[in-house]
């Protein structure tokens, strides 16, 4: 028997539903599941105040235990209020939903690339005590199912749809966010919030671009002087404990922490501790030398001809691979600028004796790649190491079974070049996935802004402008133009937030909900069952999802006025009937 209070709550909720003039036809889940069935007529029942989440077997997975505790609290306390109330018949005869039982086949499976994230979620109709069932191969798939279940619960009192069946799995195994914490420092709490938002969106890789020419903020046991001298200050470092916290928090949320120590370029900050191993350090980046010394202010490259370079770098690599259990290690290798190496007398002599800059980079790779592989890591490089038109190495020294290339230039063309050469690719095209673009440039004394005409051929000074809208990101097909065999080599994609003009004060709005757009396309695609791009209906769902993220403490920026949300379709360019 239902209590009088529960009955009154049901009647009040039914009145609210019946009075809502603009109604959606389904519950919003983001990213959209691969297969979601809600039998007609759409019905929902209350969530029991004593609702529990249990496991069918003793799983012995501390990260899943943490996720269950977290989601149980969220599900029972969130009381999300949708912007547009779902069209649903709220049952006053069914008892409340009392439990969700999780069954996992392989609870010990690690969170590595390619981990099975599939799950099946069922909330069946029953006249007895109703309960939901979540089945997954791994703890990580169970976490994805828990997120979906949490999004199915709404209202105050909380209620949940019944006669629901979900089968879900990602299209791409690698779905990431790259965050640059060198150019501006991000406190650990903001990194953790970012990982939390990633988990909500089923994004599973936190690519931590932790060092660059501007600063070296990570404290490493074997080379403490790098952070001591290279960080912006003692309060702007990531201690060993901080890194462990990020790694563990990531695992609790189903997110891998993938470290990047960029080298040999982008290493000016190393010169504060070891000036002897860095060329062109602390020089003016553009005109002090006859040619440009860096892609942007902050000069410095590691010197491949100095043996001490490898002593220091191998200490760094060993420490980082110890701190991060992640099987991938990102070694950078982007934007090697010829002018920087050419300032060094030793390198000048090497070049005058017939050596080339590409051979210099080859020397560097040959000294470092085997060492990284000996630590049982797969190496990720930016595409430049193979595709740069000025300094690159031959494919013969980049074993395809051990090397992954991350593309950022020339859109689909470079993705094609990578996979057609037989390499696995991570796609981060600046044309689509660079979230820092469109905010101008950060260099001062720049005449490009002195423009008195209405035309702006320089995108406001932004080299990768214009701003990448969520629609641009959502409609991007990362395997466009590839054969079926080539497409198999695309592991997935990452949005990138470079931090010349970003820090913790803007990180939420820069990332969200644009990253949500990438998340859905890499999880379930951007087309409906007829193969048609679904950006129109995605707009309404993304409005709802953005609202829910904000209520969960993520400062995601709005994509439309609230009027558009309350009047579905009226802000479209084509009226859908």
């Amino acid at each position: 028997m239902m209590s009088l209070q529960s009955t009154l709550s049901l009647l009040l909720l039914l009145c609210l539903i019946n009075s809502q003039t603009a109604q959606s036809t389904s519950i919003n889940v983001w990213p959209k599941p691969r297969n979601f069935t809600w039998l007609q007529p759409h019905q929902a029942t209350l969530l029991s105040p004593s609702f529990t989440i249990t496991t069918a077997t003793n799983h012995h997975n501390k990260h899943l235990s943490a996720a269950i505790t977290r989601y149980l609290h969220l599900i029972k306390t969130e009381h999300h209020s949708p912007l547009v109330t779902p069209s649903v018949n709220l049952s006053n005869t069914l008892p409340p939903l009392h439990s969700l039982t999780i069954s996992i086949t392989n609870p010990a499976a690690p969170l590595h690339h390619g981990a099975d994230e599939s799950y099946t979620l069922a909330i069946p109709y029953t006249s007895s005590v109703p309960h939901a069932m979540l089945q997954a191969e791994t703890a990580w798939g169970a976490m994805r199912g828990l997120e979906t279940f949490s999004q199915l619960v709404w209202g105050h009192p909380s209620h949940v749809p019944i006669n629901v069946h979900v089968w879900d799995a990602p299209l791409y195994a690698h779905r990431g966010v790259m965050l640059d914490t060198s150019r501006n420092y991000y406190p650990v709490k903001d990194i953790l919030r970012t990982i939390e938002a990633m988990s909500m969106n089923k994004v599973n890789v936190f690519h931590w671009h932790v060092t660059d020419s501007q600063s070296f903020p990570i404290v490493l046991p074997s080379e403490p002087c790098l952070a001591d001298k290279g960080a912006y200050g003692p309060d702007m470092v990531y201690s060993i404990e901080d890194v462990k916290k990020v790694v563990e928090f990531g695992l609790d949320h189903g997110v891998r922490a993938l470290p990047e120590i960029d080298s040999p370029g982008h290493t000016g900050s190393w010169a504060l501790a070891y000036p002897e191993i860095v060329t062109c350090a602390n020089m003016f980046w553009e005109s002090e030398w006859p040619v440009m010394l860096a892609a942007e202010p902050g000069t410095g490259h590691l010197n491949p001809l100095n043996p001490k370079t490898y002593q220091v770098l191998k200490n760094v690599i060993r420490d980082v691979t110890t701190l991060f259990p992640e099987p991938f290690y990102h070694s950078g290798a982007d934007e090697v600028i010829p002018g920087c190496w050419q300032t060094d007398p030793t390198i000048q002599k090497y070049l005058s004796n017939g050596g080339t800059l590409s051979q210099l980079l080859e020397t560097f790779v040959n000294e470092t790649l085997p060492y990284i592989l000996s630590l049982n890591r797969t190496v990720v490089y930016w595409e430049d190491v193979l595709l740069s038109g000025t300094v690159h190495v031959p494919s013969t020294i980049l074993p395809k079974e051990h090397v992954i290339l991350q593309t950022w230039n020339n859109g689909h063309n470079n993705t094609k070049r990578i996979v057609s050469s037989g390499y696995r690719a991570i796609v981060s095209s600046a044309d689509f996935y660079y979230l820092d673009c469109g905010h101008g440039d950060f260099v001062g004394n720049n005449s490009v802004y002195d423009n008195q005409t209405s035309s702006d051929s320089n995108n406001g000074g932004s080299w990768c402008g214009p701003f990448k809208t969520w629609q641009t990101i959502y409609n991007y097909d990362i395997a466009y133009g590839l054969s079926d065999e080539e497409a198999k080599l695309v592991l997935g994609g990452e949005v990138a937030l470079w931090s010349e003009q970003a820090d913790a004060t803007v990180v939420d709005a820069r990332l969200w909900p644009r990253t949500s757009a990438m998340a859905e396309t890499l999880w379930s695609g951007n087309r409906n069952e007829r193969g048609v791009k679904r950006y129109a209906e995605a707009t309404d769902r993304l409005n709802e999802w953005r609202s829910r993220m904000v209520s969960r403490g993520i400062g995601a920026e709005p994509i439309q006025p609230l009027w558009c949300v309350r009047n579905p379709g009226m802000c479209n360019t084509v009226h859908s009937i």
Side-chain angles (χ1 to χ4, degrees):
M1 295 287 292
M2 296 186 68
S3 68
L4 178 60
Q5 182 178 0
S6 296
T7 302
L8 291 173
S9 297
L10 284 170
L11 291 173
L12 176 61
L13 191 54
L14 284 168
C15 289
L16 290 172
I17 292 172
N18 291 332
S19 66
Q20 182 69 275
T21 57
Q23 296 180 338
S24 62
T25 58
S26 65
I27 300 295
N28 188 63
V29 176
W30 195 282
K32 193 179 185 76
R34 297 277 294 279
N35 186 291
F36 184 96
T37 304
W38 189 10
L39 296 182
Q40 297 277 9
H42 291 165
Q43 288 186 294
T45 190
L46 286 172
L47 191 77
S48 171
S50 59
F51 175 80
T52 59
I53 300 175
T54 60
T55 53
T57 56
N58 193 357
H59 56 80
H60 298 297
N61 186 306
K62 65 177 183 177
H63 303 299
L64 180 59
S65 295
I68 289 172
T69 300
R70 181 175 71 252
Y71 275 108
L72 181 60
H73 176 76
L74 176 68
I75 289 164
K76 295 177 75 169
T77 63
E78 184 176 22
H79 301 302
H80 176 65
S81 178
L83 299 175
V84 179
T85 305
S87 178
V88 59
N89 295 320
L90 186 59
S91 171
N92 58 4
T93 59
L94 278 177
L97 184 71
H98 277 269
S99 65
L100 170 66
T101 301
I102 303 174
S103 176
I104 303 173
T105 305
N106 185 9
L111 183 61
H112 293 169
H113 174 75
D116 192 324
E117 296 175 272
S118 65
Y119 67 91
T120 301
L121 174 65
I123 311 175
Y125 170 86
T126 175
S127 57
S128 60
V129 177
H131 65 280
M133 294 165 288
L134 173 60
Q135 295 179 307
E137 178 71 21
T138 68
W140 322 112
M143 288 186 193
R144 307 304 174 218
L146 283 168
E147 176 58 40
T148 293
F149 184 85
S150 76
Q151 294 184 32
L152 293 175
V153 179
W154 83 99
H156 201 326
S158 297
H159 45 293
V160 62
I162 59 173
N163 291 328
V164 166
H165 185 274
V166 181
W167 175 85
D168 211 5
L171 292 172
Y172 289 97
H174 190 108
R175 308 174 307 280
V177 168
M178 191 234 71
L179 184 65
D180 160 27
T181 63
S182 168
R183 291 177 173 90
N184 276 312
Y185 176 80
Y186 291 75
V188 171
K189 65 181 179 63
D190 299 289
I191 293 176
L192 300 184
R193 188 179 67 257
T194 296
I195 291 173
E196 189 174 16
M198 290 170 62
S199 181
M200 295 177 197
N201 287 270
K202 300 184 173 72
V203 176
N204 65 350
V205 180
F206 174 60
H207 172 176
W208 193 352
H209 183 94
V210 67
T211 67
D212 212 291
S213 273
Q214 288 77 13
S215 77
F216 195 107
I218 185 170
V219 178
L220 299 175
S222 300
E223 296 290 349
C225 59
L226 284 169
D228 183 54
K229 296 181 181 297
Y232 285 135
D235 58 338
M236 295 186 185
V237 298
Y238 303 108
S239 67
I240 294 172
E241 292 72 24
D242 291 334
V243 173
K244 288 180 179 178
K245 181 182 294 185
V246 169
V247 169
E248 285 299 302
F249 189 87
L251 292 172
D252 286 347
H253 288 75
V255 175
R256 299 155 49 201
L258 191 168
E260 179 186 356
I261 304 295
D262 203 350
S263 64
H266 292 278
T267 48
S269 59
W270 300 47
L272 295 168
Y274 294 108
E276 67 273 26
I277 69 172
V278 180
T279 66
C280 87
N282 301 312
M283 298 175 69
F284 189 75
W285 68 291
E286 192 166 36
S287 62
E288 184 175 291
W289 196 254
V291 293
M292 183 176 288
L293 301 184
E296 65 179 29
T299 58
H301 287 11
L302 294 181
N303 187 343
L305 298 182
N306 188 335
K308 188 170 182 179
T309 294
Y310 304 109
Q311 297 174 19
V312 175
L313 182 54
K314 288 180 180 180
N315 285 340
V316 169
I317 294 169
R318 185 181 65 251
D319 283 354
V320 169
T321 54
T322 300
L323 287 171
F324 291 83
E326 164 60 36
F328 288 4
Y329 175 88
H330 205 305
S331 195
D334 61 314
E335 295 187 316
V336 172
I337 308 300
C340 185
W341 272 345
Q342 290 167 345
T343 64
D344 181 78
T346 306
I347 293 175
Q348 290 171 10
K349 183 177 180 180
Y350 172 85
L351 297 175
S352 67
N353 289 333
T356 68
L357 293 170
S358 288
Q359 289 172 337
L360 202 59
L361 180 59
E362 185 173 349
T363 298
F364 182 86
V365 171
N366 282 333
E367 284 286 338
T368 54
L369 176 58
Y371 180 71
I372 302 169
L373 297 182
S374 75
L375 298 173
N376 198 29
R377 294 297 188 269
T378 295
V379 183
V380 185
Y381 291 113
W382 292 105
E383 62 182 16
D384 312 42
V385 73
L386 183 70
L387 301 185
S388 170
T390 53
V391 184
H392 63 271
V393 302
S395 60
T396 52
I397 72 165
L398 298 175
K400 297 176 176 63
E401 66 273 22
H402 298 304
V403 169
I404 297 166
L405 297 179
Q406 185 164 2
T407 177
W408 62 283
N409 276 307
N410 299 324
H412 301 294
N413 294 332
N414 277 13
T415 304
K416 179 80 171 181
R417 291 176 67 189
I418 289 169
V419 297
S420 64
S421 298
Y423 288 97
R424 291 167 289 173
I426 297 169
V427 178
S428 293
S429 171
D431 293 341
F432 298 90
Y433 279 175
Y434 269 30
L435 303 185
D436 54 303
C437 299
H439 292 272
D441 201 353
F442 74 100
V443 295
N445 193 23
N446 191 349
S447 62
V448 72
Y449 297 104
D450 185 10
N451 181 4
Q452 308 307 313
T453 67
S454 58
S455 63
D456 180 9
S457 59
N458 293 301
N459 285 315
S462 176
W463 74 269
C464 57
F467 181 88
K468 313 308 174 190
T469 66
W470 80 264
Q471 297 98 323
T472 298
I473 294 168
Y474 192 86
N475 285 298
Y476 181 38
D477 295 325
I478 64 172
Y480 177 84
L482 305 182
S483 68
D484 290 343
E485 287 303 309
E486 289 171 339
K488 292 177 183 177
L489 293 173
V490 177
L491 303 185
E494 290 179 3
V495 292
L497 181 57
W498 301 101
S499 295
E500 288 90 345
Q501 296 171 293
D503 63 13
T505 63
V506 300
V507 63
D508 284 14
R510 293 283 170 89
L511 288 175
W512 311 104
R514 291 188 292 165
T515 301
S516 303
M518 181 206 70
E520 178 158 295
T521 64
L522 299 186
W523 181 272
S524 57
N526 56 14
R527 299 174 185 271
N528 62 20
E529 60 278 1
R530 301 185 305 278
V532 178
K533 290 274 181 84
R534 61 186 184 208
Y535 50 84
E537 66 89 20
T539 304
D540 294 335
R541 290 190 297 106
L542 188 56
N543 273 318
E544 286 282 3
W545 177 231
R546 178 263 171 182
S547 173
R548 190 160 196 160
M549 281 197 292
V550 170
S551 71
R552 290 182 176 187
I554 308 301
E557 67 180 4
I559 64 170
Q560 283 187 324
L562 185 58
W563 186 89
C564 298
V565 183
R566 294 288 172 81
N567 294 271
M570 293 297 286
C571 291
N572 292 344
T573 57
V574 177
H575 181 57
S576 57
I577 301 175

